[in-house]
Amino acid sequence: MPLEVIYVARHGFRSNWLVDHSTGTYTATLRSPTGGAADPELTAHGVDQARELGERLLKAEPPIERVYSSLYYRCLQTVEPFVRKAIVADKRLSIRGETGLGEWYGAANFEHPVPANHETLRPLFPGLLDEEYRPLVVPTRMGEGVDELHDRVASTMDELIAQCDREGVRAVLLCSHAATIIALGRVLTGNMPESIDAEDFRAFTCGLSVYSRRTSSAGTVSGAGECDGDGTATSPRASTAHNTDRHKDLAWRGGRGVGGGWVCELNSDCSHLSLGEERGWRFSGDESFLDTTSGQSMLDAGELGVVVEGRAKSSGSTEAASSRGKL
């Protein structure tokens, strides 16, 4: 059975960090459990959001059969409540750590941070990580322009969808970061706006987006791998290398989308969260560290992109449903 539904969640509310452009040094007020300055844990409020999201995901239909997550601590912490409860309910789930779903850092002349390795994460999330899994895409440490980010996400999703098709997974959960989630919506649907900072796909903390696969006129799933003689789905791509030459071959823009194309059924819906939409985000041009004044420090959620204020849950059902709708 090919992949039919992709659930996408952004991590919960977390603390910030600073980066000095002249040295490439990242600092944070609160120490991360992994020791990484750009790898903060969730705030107490973020932990509450993760629990609420977990309850929503347990009721997902079709049910989630696989979980892929950025390896940053805040993302693993966000999906942990759901995965642990799913395990108790006899659902054999683990977390596949996928660096292709990782944070976006603007292009720079220094190396950006990377998430912690399994050796560090294993005792922090005992029994949750898929130790056999190897990431499909590894981003460059020198950062990416906006176009490079979108093509990195397209490459990741192309491989991930093909992998799920081969393994007969019907529904999958992804947990990632704001910029990556916006890019993900664009590469799945194939809808790339003329202005990079258009507010099309939304990314509130612990918001939930849902994408369903397009079907052909014959009623079959578009873009699904063909089946070989033993009924196993195959894919035209088997390589897991992050090869930039391959990005041009995907041709996901112009409404095509990767994996045959997808329809956005929910756009960062927050109806499951007690306080509704919070700390949304959108792009602000092609962000780059290369053009920034030397010696200047920058807050991660401030100058890099624009924070979008959400609508409070208490403002009524009309506003609470504002994040719904197909794109």
Side-chain angles (χ1 to χ4, degrees), residues 8-11 53 203-209 268-270 272-273:
V8 181
R10 184 186 172 194
H11 61 74
L53 173 64
F204 295 106
T205 50
C206 277
L208 179 65
S209 297
S268 199
D269 179 55
C270 296
H272 53 284
L273 300 176

Side-chain angles (χ1 to χ4, degrees), residues 27-251:
T27 57
T29 303
L30 302 177
R31 179 175 172 79
S32 164
T34 66
D39 195 20
E41 61 185 320
L42 300 180
T43 63
H45 176 50
V47 171
D48 289 339
Q49 287 182 313
R51 292 193 187 111
E52 292 175 329
L53 173 64
E55 293 298 326
R56 170 81 176 271
L57 295 174
L58 287 169
K59 302 171 185 175
E61 187 58 43
I64 295 163
E65 300 174 22
R66 178 160 300 158
V67 179
Y68 292 84
S69 175
S70 163
L71 277 168
Y72 280 99
Y73 190 89
R74 53 195 177 276
C75 287
L76 297 174
Q77 196 179 10
T78 295
V79 296
E80 181 179 17
F82 163 68
V83 176
R84 291 214 179 277
K85 286 198 173 185
I87 291 173
V88 170
D90 290 330
K91 295 181 180 179
R92 297 181 179 180
L93 285 182
S94 59
I95 302 172
R96 292 188 169 187
E98 179 49 61
T99 53
L101 296 174
E103 183 65 275
W104 172 56
Y105 298 105
N109 55 10
F110 54 82
E111 290 189 339
H112 291 291
V114 294
N117 57 30
H118 273 225
E119 184 177 353
T120 300
L121 293 169
R122 190 178 300 118
L124 298 173
F125 298 96
L128 290 189
L129 297 177
D130 185 336
E131 300 288 350
E132 303 288 322
Y133 183 73
R134 295 296 178 267
L136 300 170
V137 172
V138 179
T140 171
R141 291 199 63 179
M142 304 305 289
E144 305 158 302
V146 172
D147 284 340
E148 292 173 307
L149 165 68
H150 283 72
D151 286 336
R152 181 249 292 183
V153 173
S155 182
T156 301
M157 292 309 300
D158 182 59
E159 298 283 0
L160 189 153
I161 291 166
Q163 186 176 84
C164 289
D165 284 344
R166 290 194 301 270
E167 298 176 7
V169 174
R170 184 184 178 194
V172 64
L173 169 67
L174 314 181
C175 185
S176 188
H177 312 264
T180 309
I181 285 174
I182 294 170
L184 193 149
R186 293 170 177 176
V187 305
L188 288 178
T189 63
N191 296 328
M192 186 71 175
E194 291 185 9
S195 174
I196 201 71
D197 55 2
E199 192 175 350
D200 47 1
F201 297 95
R202 312 180 81 187
F204 295 106
T205 50
C206 277
L208 179 65
S209 297
V210 180
Y211 296 88
S212 60
R213 205 167 195 167
R214 293 179 195 152
T215 55
S216 68
S217 58
T220 58
V221 173
S222 298
E226 299 296 330
C227 290
D228 60 22
D230 63 3
T232 303
T234 60
S235 168
R237 302 177 183 85
S239 171
T240 58
H242 186 202
N243 184 341
T244 54
D245 292 337
R246 286 188 54 245
H247 294 332
K248 299 176 183 177
D249 298 333
L250 294 179

Side-chain angles (χ1 to χ4, degrees), residues 268-287:
S268 199
D269 179 55
C270 296
S271 59
H272 53 284
L273 300 176
S274 299
L275 298 183
E277 300 172 349
E278 294 182 277
R279 208 183 196 189
W281 191 94
R282 65 174 174 81
F283 290 99
S284 178
D286 195 346
E287 302 290 348

Side-chain angles (χ1 to χ4, degrees), residues 299-311:
L299 184 66
D300 69 296
E303 192 173 331
L304 191 65
V306 176
V307 175
V308 177
E309 295 300 329
R311 295 187 173 109

